[in-house]
Amino acid sequence: MEEMRVILNKAGEISPVSTKEYIDIGGYQGLKKALEAPENIIGVIKASGLRGRGGAGFPAGLKLSFTADTTADRKYIVCNADEGEPETIKDRMIMDLVPHRLFEGMAIAGIAVGADKGFIYLRAEYPYVAKTLERALADARENGCLGKNIMGSGKDFDIEIRTGAGAYICGEETALLSSIEGKRGEPRFKPPFPGVAGLWGKPTVLNNVETLANFPAILVNGAEWFRTLGTEKCPGTKLFTLSGNIAKPGVYEFPIGVTIRSLYEEAGGGCPGGKRLIAVQTGGASGNIIPASLIDTLMDIESCAAAGATFGTGDLMFMDEDCDILDVLENLTEFFAEESCGKCTPCREGTPRMLEFIGKFKNGTAKEGDLELMLELGSLMVEGSLCGLGQASPNPIFSAVRFFPEIFALKTDSKRGSC
Amino acid sequence: MALNEKEKSCCCFTDTDILKQIAAIASKWRDRPDMLIPVLHEVQKVAGNGIPKDVAMTVSREMRVPLSRIYGVETFYAFYSTEKRGKVLIRLCKSAPCHLKGAKDVLDAFEKVLGVRAGETTPDKMFTLETCECIGACDVSPAALIDDTVYGDLKPENVSELISLLRKRA
Ligand SMILES: Cc1cc2nc3c(=O)[nH]c(=O)nc-3n(C[C@H](O)[C@H](O)[C@H](O)COP(=O)(O)O)c2cc1C
Ligand code: SF4
Ligand code: FES
């Protein structure tokens, strides 16, 4: 399958800052259409079948309609540019190379639901991206594409950048809203959902960078066209981030439904040094780890779920024969233990205990019954945690137990003494 | 809340001129508690890469945000520190993709060249070495965010050269 650029169309070929250059490649035409017929926007996005690209795959048109249906004196569009998931750099590519496509998407969302203000919540790890965004925003305002009376329509829409300060949990939507409000980024109980009561209690559309960057092309080319890309249940293209033991790491845009093998061999160039691939972590740091034997799995939500992989944010981290899967699990679990916000008990107490278990398997001190205890604790975390961090953090472990049971085999006493 | 004698005499006691600058930054956002995070970023740079108590108190007074809330926020987010740090902040990524590509060896090299452990500041107050989670540069793992710039494809044998370069620039 060929790489196909819709979201990253002309990325790197035009100046990221220049509104004029973006307009020259057909930019801000989607917004123009949106302004001509605001009442059609949500219908088109719904018909396109676009699903959220931030990990959960929620239908984007439906999300817009929740907020459009509310009445409030103020509504907001919030772009989730926290991109805290290790292994993910796709949103950075969009913001670095074609930020106007994101602004256009946010403005379209604003027109659709009746919001005149948008926020980009940008992670603090991207200070250089903030500079590009600020310059591009200023240029868009100067050219009448953002700000007051956009494109002479009589409608206003402007965007403000708010940075985080280094907390993975702030990618969770309600934690993100708390952070914009200047608080600790702790998730809130849902409902109410942000679409109805979000930023400062006002109805708020919250989407991932890549989701929003899809809006312009859909409005310009239509829902039918969008549905010709990708799979029936998951239309469109997707940015896939390849990392780990791979010759050409980076971001590649392919129609959804591309095989992991295509991404691994054709785009990524395989493991460096002729090493053998043993495993792939799919969907990000909280995604499933699958064996190399499953790389013919298609990257779409349904196929991944059926195969025991995770679509998530579309990331693939490759592990070659020198890699110790327990060592990777330890690294991932430590990440979740450190990034747990501590608000709820299953996650706050569970993540460090999971780390202890993995450590025991790694250093060979695990005993009879430890595996069962670890799995039981993991299930409790899935069921009892308040937000996705605690709920998803045992996934890599569960998948490793399923696909690589041998690494959890108890070491014999003689072996135990030898290291 | 006032500073006690011990706090006044310790190293976190901030210069009056700097406190004035901090007051000027924070007073622009009086009664705008939502601006606390951007303000703390700006203030931290001025105050020496940290937010000691007297700085937090100044922000609290000028923004009219309770000190307890400031303390809560600055201890929640990894980018803030309640103590001053070195002039140059080295944040070395330790998340999975960088880990797979040898981040540990790079960390060892930094520790050796700088003569400090992760989390510490060099005696000349020039460098603070920290480890951090993914900085979104997994295409050039192992990577570090040094102040506002990404340094990728790090190799242990090049660390010493990099440090001299940074020292010259600072
Ligand atoms: C711990 C945690 C971290 C998350 N981090 C991100 C993130 O960095 N970026 C993102 O877009 N979504 C992230 N999400 C998902 C968001 O909560 C939310 O579902 C998403 O931004 C919605 O946008 P979408 O519908 O366009 O996908 C995270 C969720 C959890 C539980
Ligand atoms: S699951 Fe973890 S991160 Fe989420 S609210 Fe609970 S403690 Fe915080
Ligand atoms: S894991 Fe180190 S930059 Fe992403």
Short mmCIF file of all heavy atoms in Angstrom, two decimals, chain A residues 273-298:
data_model
loop_
_atom_site.label_atom_id
_atom_site.label_comp_id
_atom_site.label_asym_id
_atom_site.label_seq_id
_atom_site.Cartn_x
_atom_site.Cartn_y
_atom_site.Cartn_z
N GLY A 273 20.27 -3.42 11.12
CA GLY A 273 21.32 -4.42 11.32
C GLY A 273 20.87 -5.83 11.03
O GLY A 273 21.46 -6.79 11.53
N GLY A 274 19.79 -5.99 10.25
CA GLY A 274 19.33 -7.32 9.89
C GLY A 274 18.82 -8.13 11.07
O GLY A 274 18.69 -9.35 10.99
N LYS A 275 18.52 -7.46 12.18
CA LYS A 275 18.03 -8.18 13.36
C LYS A 275 16.61 -8.68 13.12
O LYS A 275 15.87 -8.15 12.29
CB LYS A 275 18.04 -7.24 14.57
CG LYS A 275 19.44 -6.81 15.00
CD LYS A 275 19.84 -7.52 16.28
CE LYS A 275 21.32 -7.36 16.58
NZ LYS A 275 21.67 -5.99 16.97
N ARG A 276 16.24 -9.68 13.89
CA ARG A 276 14.92 -10.29 13.76
C ARG A 276 13.93 -9.55 14.66
O ARG A 276 14.24 -9.23 15.81
CB ARG A 276 15.02 -11.76 14.19
CG ARG A 276 13.80 -12.62 13.88
CD ARG A 276 14.14 -14.11 14.11
NE ARG A 276 14.75 -14.30 15.43
CZ ARG A 276 14.05 -14.52 16.55
NH1 ARG A 276 12.74 -14.59 16.52
NH2 ARG A 276 14.67 -14.69 17.71
N LEU A 277 12.74 -9.29 14.11
CA LEU A 277 11.69 -8.65 14.89
C LEU A 277 11.04 -9.69 15.80
O LEU A 277 10.73 -10.79 15.35
CB LEU A 277 10.64 -8.08 13.93
CG LEU A 277 9.44 -7.37 14.57
CD1 LEU A 277 9.85 -6.01 15.12
CD2 LEU A 277 8.30 -7.21 13.56
N ILE A 278 10.85 -9.35 17.09
CA ILE A 278 10.14 -10.32 17.95
C ILE A 278 8.77 -9.82 18.39
O ILE A 278 7.86 -10.59 18.59
CB ILE A 278 10.96 -10.76 19.18
CG1 ILE A 278 11.37 -9.56 20.03
CG2 ILE A 278 12.17 -11.58 18.78
CD1 ILE A 278 11.77 -9.97 21.45
N ALA A 279 8.62 -8.51 18.56
CA ALA A 279 7.35 -8.01 19.08
C ALA A 279 7.12 -6.58 18.64
O ALA A 279 8.05 -5.87 18.26
CB ALA A 279 7.36 -8.10 20.60
N VAL A 280 5.85 -6.16 18.71
CA VAL A 280 5.48 -4.80 18.37
C VAL A 280 4.50 -4.30 19.42
O VAL A 280 3.51 -4.99 19.72
CB VAL A 280 4.75 -4.72 17.00
CG1 VAL A 280 4.56 -3.27 16.58
CG2 VAL A 280 5.48 -5.49 15.93
N GLN A 281 4.78 -3.14 20.00
CA GLN A 281 3.74 -2.55 20.84
C GLN A 281 2.87 -1.70 19.95
O GLN A 281 3.34 -0.85 19.18
CB GLN A 281 4.30 -1.70 21.98
CG GLN A 281 3.13 -1.20 22.86
CD GLN A 281 3.54 -0.57 24.16
OE1 GLN A 281 4.58 0.09 24.23
NE2 GLN A 281 2.72 -0.74 25.18
N THR A 282 1.56 -1.93 20.03
CA THR A 282 0.62 -1.27 19.13
C THR A 282 -0.20 -0.23 19.88
O THR A 282 -0.57 -0.44 21.03
CB THR A 282 -0.34 -2.32 18.54
OG1 THR A 282 -0.93 -3.07 19.62
CG2 THR A 282 0.39 -3.30 17.64
N GLY A 283 -0.46 0.90 19.23
CA GLY A 283 -1.42 1.86 19.77
C GLY A 283 -0.91 2.79 20.85
O GLY A 283 -1.69 3.54 21.42
N GLY A 284 0.38 2.75 21.17
CA GLY A 284 0.91 3.64 22.19
C GLY A 284 1.35 2.90 23.42
O GLY A 284 1.27 1.66 23.48
N ALA A 285 1.82 3.63 24.43
CA ALA A 285 2.43 3.02 25.61
C ALA A 285 1.44 2.19 26.42
O ALA A 285 1.85 1.32 27.19
CB ALA A 285 3.04 4.10 26.49
N SER A 286 0.14 2.46 26.27
CA SER A 286 -0.84 1.66 27.01
C SER A 286 -1.50 0.63 26.09
O SER A 286 -2.53 0.07 26.43
CB SER A 286 -1.89 2.56 27.65
OG SER A 286 -2.43 3.43 26.68
N GLY A 287 -0.87 0.39 24.93
CA GLY A 287 -1.45 -0.56 23.99
C GLY A 287 -0.86 -1.95 24.14
O GLY A 287 0.10 -2.17 24.89
N ASN A 288 -1.46 -2.89 23.41
CA ASN A 288 -1.04 -4.29 23.51
C ASN A 288 0.27 -4.56 22.79
O ASN A 288 0.56 -3.95 21.77
CB ASN A 288 -2.12 -5.19 22.92
CG ASN A 288 -3.36 -5.25 23.80
OD1 ASN A 288 -3.37 -4.66 24.88
ND2 ASN A 288 -4.37 -5.94 23.35
N ILE A 289 1.02 -5.49 23.36
CA ILE A 289 2.26 -5.94 22.73
C ILE A 289 1.95 -7.26 22.02
O ILE A 289 1.45 -8.20 22.64
CB ILE A 289 3.37 -6.14 23.78
CG1 ILE A 289 3.65 -4.80 24.47
CG2 ILE A 289 4.63 -6.71 23.15
CD1 ILE A 289 4.64 -4.88 25.60
N ILE A 290 2.20 -7.28 20.72
CA ILE A 290 1.87 -8.48 19.95
C ILE A 290 3.16 -9.11 19.38
O ILE A 290 4.15 -8.41 19.20
CB ILE A 290 0.89 -8.17 18.80
CG1 ILE A 290 1.49 -7.14 17.82
CG2 ILE A 290 -0.44 -7.67 19.34
CD1 ILE A 290 0.76 -7.05 16.50
N PRO A 291 3.12 -10.42 19.11
CA PRO A 291 4.32 -11.07 18.56
C PRO A 291 4.48 -10.75 17.08
O PRO A 291 3.51 -10.38 16.40
CB PRO A 291 4.02 -12.56 18.75
CG PRO A 291 2.54 -12.67 18.81
CD PRO A 291 2.02 -11.37 19.36
N ALA A 292 5.69 -10.91 16.58
CA ALA A 292 5.98 -10.61 15.17
C ALA A 292 5.12 -11.44 14.24
O ALA A 292 4.83 -11.03 13.11
CB ALA A 292 7.46 -10.86 14.90
N SER A 293 4.65 -12.59 14.71
CA SER A 293 3.83 -13.46 13.85
C SER A 293 2.50 -12.80 13.48
O SER A 293 1.81 -13.25 12.58
CB SER A 293 3.57 -14.79 14.57
OG SER A 293 2.92 -14.55 15.80
N LEU A 294 2.12 -11.74 14.18
CA LEU A 294 0.83 -11.10 13.88
C LEU A 294 0.97 -9.82 13.05
O LEU A 294 0.03 -9.02 12.99
CB LEU A 294 0.11 -10.76 15.20
CG LEU A 294 -0.46 -11.94 15.99
CD1 LEU A 294 -1.19 -11.44 17.24
CD2 LEU A 294 -1.41 -12.77 15.14
N ILE A 295 2.11 -9.62 12.39
CA ILE A 295 2.26 -8.33 11.71
C ILE A 295 1.45 -8.21 10.42
O ILE A 295 1.47 -7.17 9.78
CB ILE A 295 3.72 -7.90 11.45
CG1 ILE A 295 4.43 -8.83 10.49
CG2 ILE A 295 4.49 -7.70 12.74
CD1 ILE A 295 5.75 -8.22 10.01
N ASP A 296 0.71 -9.24 10.07
CA ASP A 296 -0.20 -9.05 8.93
C ASP A 296 -1.55 -8.48 9.37
O ASP A 296 -2.46 -8.31 8.56
CB ASP A 296 -0.35 -10.36 8.16
CG ASP A 296 0.92 -10.65 7.36
OD1 ASP A 296 1.37 -9.75 6.64
OD2 ASP A 296 1.49 -11.76 7.52
N THR A 297 -1.66 -8.16 10.66
CA THR A 297 -2.87 -7.52 11.17
C THR A 297 -3.08 -6.16 10.50
O THR A 297 -2.12 -5.42 10.28
CB THR A 297 -2.74 -7.32 12.70
OG1 THR A 297 -2.50 -8.58 13.30
CG2 THR A 297 -3.99 -6.68 13.29
N LEU A 298 -4.34 -5.86 10.17
CA LEU A 298 -4.64 -4.56 9.58
C LEU A 298 -4.76 -3.52 10.69
O LEU A 298 -5.32 -3.78 11.75
CB LEU A 298 -5.98 -4.59 8.83
CG LEU A 298 -6.20 -5.70 7.79
CD1 LEU A 298 -7.54 -5.48 7.09
CD2 LEU A 298 -5.07 -5.73 6.77
#
